[in-house]
Amino acid sequence: MSQNRIHLLLDNVEQVIIGKRNVAELIVAALLAEGHVLLEDVPGVGKTQLVASIAKSCSGKFNRIQMTPDVMPGDITGFTLINPTTKHFEFRKGAAFCNFLLADEINRCSPKSQSALLEIMEENQVSLDGNTFELPKPFMVLATQNPVETFGTFHLPEAQMDRFLMRLTMGYPTKEEELQMLKRGQEAQPKNLSEVISLEEIEALKNQAREIFIAQKVEDYIVDIVRLSRETEGIRLGISPRGTLAMFQAAKAYAFLQEREYVLPDDIKYLAASVWAHRMILSPQGKGKWGSQENCILNLLEQVEVPVV
């Protein structure tokens, strides 16, 4: 079965990252849905290691860029310069020309450089000096940021947050998992992983995920939740139409990973916080009522009747 390749990929990642298979599975679902992922968590829980492990397990090019304040847009997209020998302009590719781009500490680079990712994440291309350059397929941006540290950071604009298919957190490991980490020691590194799945296989799996069936009642369920987010008092910015499409694609990919040929309402409920929470902005009253976007999503789910499929 096709899913065996996915299980092989996840098993390979677990050689480095212990006990976070559910998070790795959601990242793979985002990959099959042609989306991008923001990993937001406290320092030291393995965000960068997880992203690097998934990228190293796949064939293809993996680039990492540390998003410091001195990073320029050209470092990401590329730039043109004059070749002193030929006296002609030449295009030098930036970090984005790869299959897996790790933007580490994305909120530490300037808004000018952050905006360089907008076209890249939406259209998988770079427009520069009147020319358009297509990015390789598959292409995925995996970004990390620490939500607890604000010194020297720049807030990600809502337009960029909306381009991430999912926002995920890892959390701390259990005692048993942390003890297992100590036993493995320094040998558990992404650089020691072997490639277990090819780009051609990933493209084939993406095509299979698109064929997953989603019933009309489940589509209505998605739209009802989205529309409620725009009408509920306490929510200043509801879920965008891009968020509706994101759930449609993510639910199909997740159902495919669960070895089903159809999407269940439970898939929507499971993915809701990861796919929708970061797309909403709460008013001061909403923050006082729910505390977080994730809690607000849970409240919306309780108000919408779950369809029987």
Side-chain angles (χ1 to χ4, degrees), residues 193-211:
L193 294 179
S194 57
E195 297 174 356
V196 296
I197 188 169
S198 67
L199 297 182
E200 291 75 20
E201 287 175 313
I202 292 174
E203 287 298 305
L205 292 171
K206 285 164 59 175
N207 292 331
Q208 292 180 48
R210 292 191 194 101
E211 299 301 318

Side-chain angles (χ1 to χ4, degrees), residues 277-289:
H278 63 285
R279 304 174 190 273
M280 296 168 32
I281 299 178
L282 303 182
S283 67
Q285 294 83 358
K287 291 180 181 178
K289 184 177 181 180

Side-chain angles (χ1 to χ4, degrees), residues 147-160:
V148 297
E149 194 173 14
T150 57
F151 183 76
T153 62
F154 300 90
H155 175 71
L156 292 183
E158 281 66 38
Q160 187 165 3

Side-chain angles (χ1 to χ4, degrees), residues 162 222-247 276 279-282 290 296-297 300 303-304:
D162 202 38
I222 293 172
V223 174
D224 287 344
I225 298 170
V226 167
R227 294 185 63 83
L228 182 61
S229 75
R230 302 168 188 166
E231 301 166 358
T232 299
E233 187 177 352
I235 302 176
R236 185 157 60 89
L237 180 67
I239 301 166
S240 67
R242 186 189 283 119
T244 309
L245 292 172
M247 178 58 79
W276 281 335
R279 304 174 190 273
M280 296 168 32
I281 299 178
L282 303 182
W290 297 299
C296 178
I297 287 290
L300 296 179
Q303 298 181 54
V304 179

Side-chain angles (χ1 to χ4, degrees), residues 3 5-7 9-10 13 20-39 50 54-55 58 100 138-142 164-168 197 202-212 245-260 263 267-268 270-272 274-275 279:
Q3 286 86 347
R5 306 301 299 170
I6 300 297
H7 295 317
L9 169 61
L10 296 174
V13 170
K20 301 300 176 185
R21 191 180 181 96
N22 61 324
V23 180
E25 190 176 60
L26 289 174
I27 294 177
V28 174
L31 172 62
L32 298 184
E34 299 185 313
H36 311 286
V37 174
L38 175 65
L39 270 175
L50 174 59
I54 292 176
C58 305
F100 300 93
F139 174 72
M140 186 181 197
V141 174
L142 298 137
F164 284 105
L165 182 75
M166 297 183 189
R167 181 179 66 178
L168 305 175
I197 188 169
I202 292 174
E203 287 298 305
L205 292 171
K206 285 164 59 175
N207 292 331
Q208 292 180 48
R210 292 191 194 101
E211 299 301 318
I212 296 298
L245 292 172
M247 178 58 79
F248 181 79
Q249 296 163 346
K252 283 189 170 188
Y254 182 73
F256 176 72
L257 293 185
Q258 303 308 308
E259 302 184 15
R260 275 189 273 104
V263 175
D267 297 332
I268 311 302
Y270 179 74
L271 295 168
S274 301
V275 176
R279 304 174 190 273

Side-chain angles (χ1 to χ4, degrees), residues 32-95:
L32 298 184
E34 299 185 313
H36 311 286
V37 174
L38 175 65
L39 270 175
E40 185 179 86
D41 215 324
V42 296
V45 294
K47 300 185 298 295
T48 304
Q49 293 281 74
L50 174 59
V51 168
S53 298
I54 292 176
K56 290 288 186 180
S57 299
C58 305
S59 64
K61 190 175 182 182
F62 169 55
N63 282 346
R64 173 180 175 175
I65 182 168
Q66 197 68 35
M67 304 293 275
T68 54
D70 60 343
V71 168
M72 300 298 293
D75 298 325
I76 302 171
T77 61
F79 53 90
T80 54
L81 50 75
I82 296 179
N83 188 316
T85 304
T86 63
K87 308 298 183 183
H88 292 123
F89 284 101
E90 293 184 358
F91 175 67
R92 297 293 176 88
K93 294 180 179 180

